[in-house]
Amino acid sequence: MSLLATPCASMCIDRGLALHKMIRMLVLGLGGEAYLNFIGNEFGHPEWVDFPRPENGWSHQHCRRRWDLPADDLLRYKFFEAFDELMQACENRFQWMASEHQYVTIKNNMDKVIAFERGDCILVFNFHPCSSYTDYQIGMGFNEPMRCVLDSDEGRFGGQSRLEHGHANAFFPLHGAQDRPHSVKMYLPSRTCQVLVKDRLLQGGVRVWVSWDFLWERGLGSLADVLIRLQVWKDGKLVPTPPRPFDEEGCLRVDGPDAIFGLEGPDGQPLDCKTAADGLFRVYFPGDYTPS
């Protein structure tokens, strides 16, 4: 799993990375109304858990989780963790698990392709080990442009970045296929999955809202007590920008599809994100977000 020892992944490692990501997405897409992850599996923990007991001589050797693995830039575990984080954020934004709309469009055993609609999304999987498909037609019930917001082949997930076109360009609806009134044609590289959402849901950038519950929990009296400090990438590092106030409705609009920011109270007191080690809030998709 070392990037230093094997800069180009072996066939075995490449296969494991690809299938691991696809299976996670398939479970999150079709599995039901909830998603359960055992601690450490989000980055592909390589060891089992074994608590001290008489049979192992009261050993603490495997009574642990190796949190250092995804934090090491020279190991590929970081790709697993990055994909899991974005996958969860994608569902949190578009909330297909709570939707009643579900329709499996394709389950082609010969092509090894699975495609289904859930909520406002289309999830497409190509499990074939060696065949990639160009202009693969997928029926859908949506008569509007669709855009790819997440794919397992992205470079930040250890993939080969073969689907950049789909992120920058919408797929416009075509004539019907597979007993669906409309369709799209897509490029499906082998062992990859993609999530498409309605293009109109991605318009308007990121909107961050401050709720009164947020103010009350932190002992603040008004919106004027909170400032937002956006973070931008510069020379490979996150650099904070000057703080900005929220408008009178408690909203701040950010141009662009994503945002990283910190919140400050009076006298520059940080109002940290409770789930992030660095205290920063991260938004990966356009839409409305309320820090908590």
PDB file of all heavy atoms in Angstrom, residues 218-244:
ATOM      1  N   ARG A 218     -23.735  28.239  21.857  1.00  0.00           N
ATOM      2  CA  ARG A 218     -22.416  28.825  22.110  1.00  0.00           C
ATOM      3  C   ARG A 218     -22.488  30.130  22.895  1.00  0.00           C
ATOM      4  O   ARG A 218     -21.501  30.853  22.989  1.00  0.00           O
ATOM      5  CB  ARG A 218     -21.694  29.033  20.774  1.00  0.00           C
ATOM      6  CG  ARG A 218     -21.235  27.702  20.180  1.00  0.00           C
ATOM      7  CD  ARG A 218     -20.967  27.794  18.699  1.00  0.00           C
ATOM      8  NE  ARG A 218     -20.444  26.530  18.183  1.00  0.00           N
ATOM      9  CZ  ARG A 218     -21.193  25.463  17.946  1.00  0.00           C
ATOM     10  NH1 ARG A 218     -22.492  25.503  18.190  1.00  0.00           N
ATOM     11  NH2 ARG A 218     -20.651  24.348  17.474  1.00  0.00           N
ATOM     12  N   GLY A 219     -23.665  30.421  23.429  1.00  0.00           N
ATOM     13  CA  GLY A 219     -23.817  31.587  24.284  1.00  0.00           C
ATOM     14  C   GLY A 219     -23.697  32.910  23.563  1.00  0.00           C
ATOM     15  O   GLY A 219     -23.269  33.909  24.159  1.00  0.00           O
ATOM     16  N   LEU A 220     -24.075  32.939  22.282  1.00  0.00           N
ATOM     17  CA  LEU A 220     -23.987  34.166  21.496  1.00  0.00           C
ATOM     18  C   LEU A 220     -25.372  34.789  21.365  1.00  0.00           C
ATOM     19  O   LEU A 220     -26.383  34.085  21.287  1.00  0.00           O
ATOM     20  CB  LEU A 220     -23.404  33.871  20.115  1.00  0.00           C
ATOM     21  CG  LEU A 220     -22.023  33.202  20.126  1.00  0.00           C
ATOM     22  CD1 LEU A 220     -21.583  32.866  18.712  1.00  0.00           C
ATOM     23  CD2 LEU A 220     -20.993  34.096  20.804  1.00  0.00           C
ATOM     24  N   GLY A 221     -25.413  36.120  21.287  1.00  0.00           N
ATOM     25  CA  GLY A 221     -26.699  36.800  21.317  1.00  0.00           C
ATOM     26  C   GLY A 221     -27.237  37.247  19.980  1.00  0.00           C
ATOM     27  O   GLY A 221     -28.439  37.487  19.847  1.00  0.00           O
ATOM     28  N   SER A 222     -26.374  37.394  18.968  1.00  0.00           N
ATOM     29  CA  SER A 222     -26.853  37.899  17.684  1.00  0.00           C
ATOM     30  C   SER A 222     -25.967  37.400  16.554  1.00  0.00           C
ATOM     31  O   SER A 222     -24.855  36.896  16.774  1.00  0.00           O
ATOM     32  CB  SER A 222     -26.874  39.432  17.685  1.00  0.00           C
ATOM     33  OG  SER A 222     -25.550  39.943  17.686  1.00  0.00           O
ATOM     34  N   LEU A 223     -26.462  37.584  15.328  1.00  0.00           N
ATOM     35  CA  LEU A 223     -25.702  37.177  14.148  1.00  0.00           C
ATOM     36  C   LEU A 223     -24.415  37.982  14.007  1.00  0.00           C
ATOM     37  O   LEU A 223     -23.433  37.505  13.429  1.00  0.00           O
ATOM     38  CB  LEU A 223     -26.562  37.351  12.891  1.00  0.00           C
ATOM     39  CG  LEU A 223     -27.786  36.441  12.776  1.00  0.00           C
ATOM     40  CD1 LEU A 223     -28.654  36.872  11.601  1.00  0.00           C
ATOM     41  CD2 LEU A 223     -27.355  34.986  12.604  1.00  0.00           C
ATOM     42  N   ALA A 224     -24.424  39.188  14.545  1.00  0.00           N
ATOM     43  CA  ALA A 224     -23.236  40.039  14.448  1.00  0.00           C
ATOM     44  C   ALA A 224     -22.062  39.480  15.239  1.00  0.00           C
ATOM     45  O   ALA A 224     -20.917  39.904  15.048  1.00  0.00           O
ATOM     46  CB  ALA A 224     -23.569  41.451  14.928  1.00  0.00           C
ATOM     47  N   ASP A 225     -22.341  38.519  16.131  1.00  0.00           N
ATOM     48  CA  ASP A 225     -21.275  37.930  16.943  1.00  0.00           C
ATOM     49  C   ASP A 225     -20.494  36.849  16.199  1.00  0.00           C
ATOM     50  O   ASP A 225     -19.511  36.324  16.731  1.00  0.00           O
ATOM     51  CB  ASP A 225     -21.867  37.313  18.220  1.00  0.00           C
ATOM     52  CG  ASP A 225     -22.414  38.372  19.163  1.00  0.00           C
ATOM     53  OD1 ASP A 225     -21.915  39.512  19.114  1.00  0.00           O
ATOM     54  OD2 ASP A 225     -23.342  38.054  19.932  1.00  0.00           O
ATOM     55  N   VAL A 226     -20.941  36.486  14.994  1.00  0.00           N
ATOM     56  CA  VAL A 226     -20.306  35.392  14.253  1.00  0.00           C
ATOM     57  C   VAL A 226     -19.729  35.911  12.941  1.00  0.00           C
ATOM     58  O   VAL A 226     -20.403  36.625  12.189  1.00  0.00           O
ATOM     59  CB  VAL A 226     -21.315  34.259  13.953  1.00  0.00           C
ATOM     60  CG1 VAL A 226     -20.611  33.105  13.237  1.00  0.00           C
ATOM     61  CG2 VAL A 226     -21.956  33.765  15.233  1.00  0.00           C
ATOM     62  N   LEU A 227     -18.494  35.554  12.675  1.00  0.00           N
ATOM     63  CA  LEU A 227     -17.840  35.864  11.410  1.00  0.00           C
ATOM     64  C   LEU A 227     -17.385  34.567  10.757  1.00  0.00           C
ATOM     65  O   LEU A 227     -17.096  33.582  11.441  1.00  0.00           O
ATOM     66  CB  LEU A 227     -16.627  36.776  11.628  1.00  0.00           C
ATOM     67  CG  LEU A 227     -16.893  38.162  12.222  1.00  0.00           C
ATOM     68  CD1 LEU A 227     -15.578  38.880  12.484  1.00  0.00           C
ATOM     69  CD2 LEU A 227     -17.782  38.989  11.306  1.00  0.00           C
ATOM     70  N   ILE A 228     -17.332  34.574   9.437  1.00  0.00           N
ATOM     71  CA  ILE A 228     -16.868  33.403   8.700  1.00  0.00           C
ATOM     72  C   ILE A 228     -15.541  33.741   8.036  1.00  0.00           C
ATOM     73  O   ILE A 228     -15.355  34.836   7.504  1.00  0.00           O
ATOM     74  CB  ILE A 228     -17.912  32.949   7.648  1.00  0.00           C
ATOM     75  CG1 ILE A 228     -17.463  31.649   6.972  1.00  0.00           C
ATOM     76  CG2 ILE A 228     -18.175  34.035   6.621  1.00  0.00           C
ATOM     77  CD1 ILE A 228     -18.538  31.026   6.099  1.00  0.00           C
ATOM     78  N   ARG A 229     -14.613  32.798   8.112  1.00  0.00           N
ATOM     79  CA  ARG A 229     -13.294  32.998   7.511  1.00  0.00           C
ATOM     80  C   ARG A 229     -13.054  31.859   6.518  1.00  0.00           C
ATOM     81  O   ARG A 229     -12.763  30.722   6.908  1.00  0.00           O
ATOM     82  CB  ARG A 229     -12.211  33.019   8.585  1.00  0.00           C
ATOM     83  CG  ARG A 229     -10.832  33.428   8.058  1.00  0.00           C
ATOM     84  CD  ARG A 229      -9.780  33.287   9.146  1.00  0.00           C
ATOM     85  NE  ARG A 229      -9.934  34.260  10.211  1.00  0.00           N
ATOM     86  CZ  ARG A 229      -9.367  35.466  10.212  1.00  0.00           C
ATOM     87  NH1 ARG A 229      -8.631  35.846   9.186  1.00  0.00           N
ATOM     88  NH2 ARG A 229      -9.531  36.280  11.237  1.00  0.00           N
ATOM     89  N   LEU A 230     -13.205  32.162   5.234  1.00  0.00           N
ATOM     90  CA  LEU A 230     -12.997  31.155   4.199  1.00  0.00           C
ATOM     91  C   LEU A 230     -11.521  30.793   4.098  1.00  0.00           C
ATOM     92  O   LEU A 230     -10.638  31.622   4.338  1.00  0.00           O
ATOM     93  CB  LEU A 230     -13.504  31.662   2.852  1.00  0.00           C
ATOM     94  CG  LEU A 230     -15.008  31.940   2.750  1.00  0.00           C
ATOM     95  CD1 LEU A 230     -15.332  32.593   1.421  1.00  0.00           C
ATOM     96  CD2 LEU A 230     -15.803  30.650   2.915  1.00  0.00           C
ATOM     97  N   GLN A 231     -11.281  29.542   3.738  1.00  0.00           N
ATOM     98  CA  GLN A 231      -9.922  29.047   3.544  1.00  0.00           C
ATOM     99  C   GLN A 231      -9.713  28.770   2.054  1.00  0.00           C
ATOM    100  O   GLN A 231     -10.575  28.174   1.406  1.00  0.00           O
ATOM    101  CB  GLN A 231      -9.712  27.754   4.336  1.00  0.00           C
ATOM    102  CG  GLN A 231     -10.087  27.855   5.807  1.00  0.00           C
ATOM    103  CD  GLN A 231      -9.012  28.487   6.651  1.00  0.00           C
ATOM    104  OE1 GLN A 231      -7.830  28.293   6.409  1.00  0.00           O
ATOM    105  NE2 GLN A 231      -9.416  29.242   7.669  1.00  0.00           N
ATOM    106  N   VAL A 232      -8.590  29.198   1.524  1.00  0.00           N
ATOM    107  CA  VAL A 232      -8.277  28.961   0.115  1.00  0.00           C
ATOM    108  C   VAL A 232      -6.928  28.259   0.020  1.00  0.00           C
ATOM    109  O   VAL A 232      -6.060  28.414   0.887  1.00  0.00           O
ATOM    110  CB  VAL A 232      -8.250  30.284  -0.690  1.00  0.00           C
ATOM    111  CG1 VAL A 232      -9.615  30.942  -0.682  1.00  0.00           C
ATOM    112  CG2 VAL A 232      -7.203  31.240  -0.128  1.00  0.00           C
ATOM    113  N   TRP A 233      -6.772  27.481  -1.049  1.00  0.00           N
ATOM    114  CA  TRP A 233      -5.509  26.773  -1.259  1.00  0.00           C
ATOM    115  C   TRP A 233      -4.494  27.704  -1.912  1.00  0.00           C
ATOM    116  O   TRP A 233      -4.784  28.360  -2.905  1.00  0.00           O
ATOM    117  CB  TRP A 233      -5.726  25.548  -2.143  1.00  0.00           C
ATOM    118  CG  TRP A 233      -6.451  24.437  -1.449  1.00  0.00           C
ATOM    119  CD1 TRP A 233      -7.771  24.117  -1.556  1.00  0.00           C
ATOM    120  CD2 TRP A 233      -5.887  23.503  -0.523  1.00  0.00           C
ATOM    121  NE1 TRP A 233      -8.076  23.044  -0.753  1.00  0.00           N
ATOM    122  CE2 TRP A 233      -6.932  22.642  -0.108  1.00  0.00           C
ATOM    123  CE3 TRP A 233      -4.604  23.312  -0.007  1.00  0.00           C
ATOM    124  CZ2 TRP A 233      -6.732  21.605   0.791  1.00  0.00           C
ATOM    125  CZ3 TRP A 233      -4.402  22.274   0.897  1.00  0.00           C
ATOM    126  CH2 TRP A 233      -5.457  21.439   1.284  1.00  0.00           C
ATOM    127  N   LYS A 234      -3.303  27.768  -1.334  1.00  0.00           N
ATOM    128  CA  LYS A 234      -2.219  28.568  -1.893  1.00  0.00           C
ATOM    129  C   LYS A 234      -0.904  27.862  -1.629  1.00  0.00           C
ATOM    130  O   LYS A 234      -0.570  27.571  -0.472  1.00  0.00           O
ATOM    131  CB  LYS A 234      -2.207  29.970  -1.268  1.00  0.00           C
ATOM    132  CG  LYS A 234      -1.184  30.906  -1.906  1.00  0.00           C
ATOM    133  CD  LYS A 234      -1.275  32.304  -1.317  1.00  0.00           C
ATOM    134  CE  LYS A 234      -0.292  33.248  -1.979  1.00  0.00           C
ATOM    135  NZ  LYS A 234      -0.382  34.616  -1.408  1.00  0.00           N
ATOM    136  N   ASP A 235      -0.186  27.556  -2.706  1.00  0.00           N
ATOM    137  CA  ASP A 235       1.094  26.843  -2.602  1.00  0.00           C
ATOM    138  C   ASP A 235       0.945  25.529  -1.840  1.00  0.00           C
ATOM    139  O   ASP A 235       1.804  25.149  -1.028  1.00  0.00           O
ATOM    140  CB  ASP A 235       2.151  27.719  -1.913  1.00  0.00           C
ATOM    141  CG  ASP A 235       2.449  28.991  -2.698  1.00  0.00           C
ATOM    142  OD1 ASP A 235       2.351  28.949  -3.931  1.00  0.00           O
ATOM    143  OD2 ASP A 235       2.761  30.022  -2.065  1.00  0.00           O
ATOM    144  N   GLY A 236      -0.182  24.848  -2.083  1.00  0.00           N
ATOM    145  CA  GLY A 236      -0.397  23.545  -1.464  1.00  0.00           C
ATOM    146  C   GLY A 236      -0.842  23.584  -0.020  1.00  0.00           C
ATOM    147  O   GLY A 236      -0.908  22.542   0.633  1.00  0.00           O
ATOM    148  N   LYS A 237      -1.161  24.776   0.507  1.00  0.00           N
ATOM    149  CA  LYS A 237      -1.586  24.898   1.893  1.00  0.00           C
ATOM    150  C   LYS A 237      -2.882  25.703   1.980  1.00  0.00           C
ATOM    151  O   LYS A 237      -3.158  26.550   1.127  1.00  0.00           O
ATOM    152  CB  LYS A 237      -0.500  25.585   2.733  1.00  0.00           C
ATOM    153  CG  LYS A 237       0.808  24.811   2.820  1.00  0.00           C
ATOM    154  CD  LYS A 237       1.814  25.559   3.685  1.00  0.00           C
ATOM    155  CE  LYS A 237       3.120  24.794   3.795  1.00  0.00           C
ATOM    156  NZ  LYS A 237       4.121  25.515   4.632  1.00  0.00           N
ATOM    157  N   LEU A 238      -3.663  25.429   3.033  1.00  0.00           N
ATOM    158  CA  LEU A 238      -4.873  26.205   3.280  1.00  0.00           C
ATOM    159  C   LEU A 238      -4.502  27.519   3.954  1.00  0.00           C
ATOM    160  O   LEU A 238      -3.841  27.534   4.997  1.00  0.00           O
ATOM    161  CB  LEU A 238      -5.844  25.421   4.168  1.00  0.00           C
ATOM    162  CG  LEU A 238      -6.713  24.370   3.484  1.00  0.00           C
ATOM    163  CD1 LEU A 238      -7.533  23.610   4.513  1.00  0.00           C
ATOM    164  CD2 LEU A 238      -7.629  25.007   2.450  1.00  0.00           C
ATOM    165  N   VAL A 239      -4.936  28.615   3.346  1.00  0.00           N
ATOM    166  CA  VAL A 239      -4.628  29.946   3.869  1.00  0.00           C
ATOM    167  C   VAL A 239      -5.948  30.655   4.180  1.00  0.00           C
ATOM    168  O   VAL A 239      -6.829  30.738   3.320  1.00  0.00           O
ATOM    169  CB  VAL A 239      -3.816  30.766   2.848  1.00  0.00           C
ATOM    170  CG1 VAL A 239      -3.539  32.160   3.391  1.00  0.00           C
ATOM    171  CG2 VAL A 239      -2.517  30.047   2.511  1.00  0.00           C
ATOM    172  N   PRO A 240      -6.117  31.181   5.405  1.00  0.00           N
ATOM    173  CA  PRO A 240      -7.370  31.868   5.742  1.00  0.00           C
ATOM    174  C   PRO A 240      -7.471  33.228   5.068  1.00  0.00           C
ATOM    175  O   PRO A 240      -6.479  33.938   4.900  1.00  0.00           O
ATOM    176  CB  PRO A 240      -7.301  31.999   7.265  1.00  0.00           C
ATOM    177  CG  PRO A 240      -5.841  31.984   7.583  1.00  0.00           C
ATOM    178  CD  PRO A 240      -5.203  31.093   6.556  1.00  0.00           C
ATOM    179  N   THR A 241      -8.684  33.594   4.677  1.00  0.00           N
ATOM    180  CA  THR A 241      -8.961  34.913   4.118  1.00  0.00           C
ATOM    181  C   THR A 241      -9.498  35.816   5.228  1.00  0.00           C
ATOM    182  O   THR A 241      -9.845  35.338   6.311  1.00  0.00           O
ATOM    183  CB  THR A 241      -9.990  34.809   2.980  1.00  0.00           C
ATOM    184  OG1 THR A 241     -11.215  34.271   3.510  1.00  0.00           O
ATOM    185  CG2 THR A 241      -9.476  33.885   1.883  1.00  0.00           C
ATOM    186  N   PRO A 242      -9.583  37.114   5.001  1.00  0.00           N
ATOM    187  CA  PRO A 242     -10.131  38.009   6.033  1.00  0.00           C
ATOM    188  C   PRO A 242     -11.553  37.602   6.419  1.00  0.00           C
ATOM    189  O   PRO A 242     -12.331  37.149   5.580  1.00  0.00           O
ATOM    190  CB  PRO A 242     -10.107  39.381   5.354  1.00  0.00           C
ATOM    191  CG  PRO A 242      -9.015  39.275   4.337  1.00  0.00           C
ATOM    192  CD  PRO A 242      -9.068  37.869   3.838  1.00  0.00           C
ATOM    193  N   PRO A 243     -11.918  37.755   7.685  1.00  0.00           N
ATOM    194  CA  PRO A 243     -13.257  37.357   8.135  1.00  0.00           C
ATOM    195  C   PRO A 243     -14.348  38.203   7.492  1.00  0.00           C
ATOM    196  O   PRO A 243     -14.151  39.387   7.207  1.00  0.00           O
ATOM    197  CB  PRO A 243     -13.197  37.571   9.651  1.00  0.00           C
ATOM    198  CG  PRO A 243     -12.096  38.551   9.866  1.00  0.00           C
ATOM    199  CD  PRO A 243     -11.103  38.299   8.785  1.00  0.00           C
ATOM    200  N   ARG A 244     -15.504  37.571   7.280  1.00  0.00           N
ATOM    201  CA  ARG A 244     -16.645  38.249   6.664  1.00  0.00           C
ATOM    202  C   ARG A 244     -17.884  38.024   7.525  1.00  0.00           C
ATOM    203  O   ARG A 244     -18.059  36.949   8.108  1.00  0.00           O
ATOM    204  CB  ARG A 244     -16.885  37.699   5.253  1.00  0.00           C
ATOM    205  CG  ARG A 244     -15.726  37.906   4.302  1.00  0.00           C
ATOM    206  CD  ARG A 244     -15.829  37.020   3.074  1.00  0.00           C
ATOM    207  NE  ARG A 244     -17.074  37.226   2.341  1.00  0.00           N
ATOM    208  CZ  ARG A 244     -17.410  36.497   1.267  1.00  0.00           C
ATOM    209  NH1 ARG A 244     -16.616  35.524   0.840  1.00  0.00           N
ATOM    210  NH2 ARG A 244     -18.547  36.737   0.643  1.00  0.00           N
TER     211      ARG A 244
END
